[in-house]
Amino acid sequence: MKGKAQTTSASRTAMRPIAASDMMHVVLAFEDNRLVSDLFGQFDQNLALIEQRLGVEAIAHGNQVTIRGNKTSTEQAKLALESLYTRLQGGHDITPGDVDGAIRLAEVAEAQLSLPTMEPKSRMAFAQIATRRKTLVARTAAQDAYIRAMDRSDLTFGVGPAGTGKTFLAVAYAAALLERGEIDRMILSRPAVEAGERLGFLPGDMKDKVDPYLRPLYDGLNEMMAPEKLERGLESGMIEVAPLAFMRGRTLSNAIVILDEAQNTTSMQMKMFLTRLGENSKMIVTGDPSQVDLPPGQMSGLREALKILSGVEGISRVDFTESDVVRHELVARIVGAYDNESRRRLEAKERRQAEDAAAKENEEQGSKE
């Protein structure tokens, strides 16, 4: 049962000190009382999250909320609440993740990209992907740019750590295009690279051996499509999930093709994949260059492609960071810890190289003397 908690200074996150000249307060009123309890959250938990993240005070009175804080944060809180209310008006539920996404996008509203195929009613017209089963709304600035890039470009690279939604959004976008009849086929692929285990030791035939590598793609499809429609699509070949090796020699026309875990492609595999692009087709390539499982000394096809294709017309690249992780908040901290350790090791390596170079130079000067 939903209800409202009494607001006390002890239950609120302490506000940041604000100069009097920078103070601002706004009062928002929402017409549909049926949606207000969902907007504010059980015991005002959504308002509490906005307070905590933006450093404002948000006090609910019936169908109104008073927001008080510095000008920037107050405006951001206003935008976040308005966007969440619009989502409720559209018949969609609100989760804590949606609140987090609205806050993130409100913080970067000024830098939001415009999409030619959309006519935003305000600065907070977030990029969306709509299928018959659900509608996904971007939760971070990078996700917003990613959805728009997939719409604009025939080839899009989504690069960054796990948990940022790269693969899930790509699969959702492909499902939406297929449902609208803009493409005839959806092809999802991954390199079947062995990360510490041997395929030969797995039971079953080749399909049984490679399916575990493709499971994340199936998971995305199951989220976006009804089970019976997905099954029909897989049986008819309209939806194809296959290892990268199965792409060789094909020309993929009237299709959307997704390559996941692309950091584990070789240079030749990446070139082979990219040159499969046919007429009226799109390609989306996702991967994390910091998680390469190739044998030591072998160049990642993703890293090479990003370097070679930089600036090529018709190709978009969107970089995700740990701040874009939309899984459990602990995942973002884990990714950040590993990134910090990688930077520490790189800095230590550079220091050792500099010290070795200086020692060698001193040794050469000593021998000359």
Side-chain angles (χ1 to χ4, degrees), residues 12-52:
R12 298 291 187 181
T13 300
M15 293 179 60
R16 295 188 292 266
I18 304 171
S21 60
D22 197 33
M23 287 294 295
M24 176 181 181
H25 86 273
V26 296
V27 178
L28 300 179
F30 301 96
E31 296 179 358
D32 194 335
N33 290 324
R34 297 171 301 172
L35 303 180
V36 170
S37 61
D38 290 329
L39 176 63
F40 295 165
Q42 188 174 23
F43 304 116
D44 293 347
Q45 64 181 6
N46 295 343
L47 294 181
L49 180 57
I50 289 172
E51 286 182 319
Q52 180 182 7

Side-chain angles (χ1 to χ4, degrees), residues 15-201:
M15 293 179 60
R16 295 188 292 266
I18 304 171
S21 60
D22 197 33
M23 287 294 295
M24 176 181 181
H25 86 273
V26 296
V27 178
L28 300 179
F30 301 96
E31 296 179 358
D32 194 335
N33 290 324
R34 297 171 301 172
L35 303 180
V36 170
S37 61
D38 290 329
L39 176 63
F40 295 165
Q42 188 174 23
F43 304 116
D44 293 347
Q45 64 181 6
N46 295 343
L47 294 181
L49 180 57
I50 289 172
E51 286 182 319
Q52 180 182 7
R53 288 282 302 277
L54 296 177
V56 298
E57 185 179 36
I59 304 175
H61 301 283
N63 69 331
Q64 295 184 341
V65 59
T66 300
I67 306 170
R68 177 176 175 272
N70 70 50
K71 293 177 182 178
T72 299
S73 296
T74 300
E75 181 65 22
Q76 289 170 349
K78 175 177 177 289
L79 288 173
L81 282 169
E82 288 175 341
S83 69
L84 290 169
Y85 184 70
T86 300
R87 179 173 174 80
L88 288 169
Q89 287 180 312
H92 305 293
D93 294 330
I94 287 179
T95 67
D98 296 319
V99 180
D100 177 70
I103 294 169
R104 293 191 197 207
L105 284 168
E107 290 174 325
V108 296
E110 295 291 345
Q112 187 185 29
L113 298 175
S114 58
L115 183 64
T117 57
M118 296 174 64
E119 290 296 333
K121 297 178 182 178
S122 71
R123 290 181 299 168
M124 294 296 287
F126 305 146
Q128 300 182 6
I129 300 173
T131 67
R132 291 189 180 95
R133 195 165 192 189
K134 64 166 57 177
T135 298
L136 298 178
V137 182
R139 290 185 177 180
T140 71
Q143 285 192 354
D144 186 67
Y146 187 48
I147 295 173
R148 297 172 190 277
M150 290 188 288
D151 197 79
R152 285 185 176 130
S153 305
D154 290 336
L155 173 58
T156 302
F157 287 92
V159 183
T164 52
K166 305 182 303 297
T167 302
F168 187 70
L169 289 175
V171 172
Y173 183 75
L177 292 189
L178 190 65
E179 284 188 349
R180 296 201 299 263
E182 295 184 25
I183 45 113
D184 297 332
R185 291 182 296 165
M186 180 199 310
I187 301 169
L188 314 178
S189 186
R190 263 186 163 199
V193 173
E194 301 170 1
E197 297 183 64
R198 296 292 181 182
L199 281 171
F201 291 130

Side-chain angles (χ1 to χ4, degrees), residues 343-362:
R343 283 192 289 269
R344 187 193 66 78
R345 290 180 179 178
L346 179 60
E347 290 170 357
K349 181 180 178 180
E350 290 174 346
R351 282 197 302 271
R352 287 196 301 270
Q353 290 175 340
E355 290 169 359
D356 290 344
K360 184 177 180 181
E361 183 178 351
N362 291 335

Side-chain angles (χ1 to χ4, degrees), residues 206-228:
M206 180 53 71
K207 182 180 185 302
D208 294 327
K209 292 177 188 293
V210 300
D211 268 0
Y213 289 87
L214 306 173
R215 179 49 52 191
L217 300 177
Y218 285 112
D219 289 344
L221 287 171
N222 285 322
E223 283 277 337
M224 301 310 303
M225 304 181 72
E228 61 276 6

Side-chain angles (χ1 to χ4, degrees), residues 231-272:
E231 186 175 351
R232 287 198 302 270
L234 291 169
E235 289 177 353
S236 67
M238 186 170 61
I239 301 172
E240 182 179 346
V241 184
L244 178 59
F246 289 21
M247 298 294 107
R248 189 174 297 279
R250 305 173 64 182
T251 299
L252 306 173
S253 302
N254 300 309
I256 184 163
V257 192
I258 299 172
L259 176 60
D260 190 34
E261 296 291 336
Q263 74 274 6
N264 289 326
T265 61
T266 65
S267 177
M268 291 182 63
Q269 285 176 328
M270 178 60 77
K271 182 179 178 182
M272 176 274 292

